[in-house]
Amino acid sequence: MTREASCSCGQLSLEVSGEPVRVSVCHCRACQRRTGSVFGAQARFLESQVVQRGEVAIYERQGDSGNGVRCGFCPRCGSTVTLWLEGLDDMVVVPVGAFADSEFPAPGVSVYEARMHPWVSLIGELTHLD
């Protein structure tokens, strides 16, 4: 299985092979701001599963956990296409929306639910973490 992910303008793209290690939704404030939505949906892949094409710009910040987060985004259109989480150095995190694939696997984990908007309702088998 090979999937393609890309930014809005297509300049920055990923070819991802195999299934994700984990798919999750995150309700932290940083994901809300990064996506412009009420949560972020992301998939973790081993670094060896991902081939990147195009120019990437990096924004670094501290996550709610206290660990560092590096966001890789397209310098032309601004879309975030990759994230790297401190402590998960062999993983590349890809926002699920970058795949633009309605058949993408559903999340199995929901994190930072203490910050979840009260009107959000998640369905399916999920591990729920505050």
Side-chain angles (χ1 to χ4, degrees), residues 79-128:
S79 300
T80 301
V81 178
T82 54
L83 299 140
W84 295 273
L85 308 175
E86 184 179 353
L88 297 175
D89 299 331
D90 61 340
M91 296 279 179
V92 177
V93 181
V94 182
V96 171
F99 291 100
D101 176 5
S102 61
E103 300 297 317
F104 199 86
V109 179
S110 175
V111 298
Y112 287 104
E113 287 193 339
R115 296 179 177 138
M116 183 168 61
H117 289 244
W119 48 266
V120 169
S121 177
L122 300 171
I123 60 171
E125 300 268 335
L126 289 165
T127 300
H128 301 273

Side-chain angles (χ1 to χ4, degrees), residues 33-45:
R33 288 185 176 106
R34 176 181 58 78
T35 64
S37 186
V38 295
F39 58 82
Q42 53 272 331
R44 291 182 187 176
F45 294 92

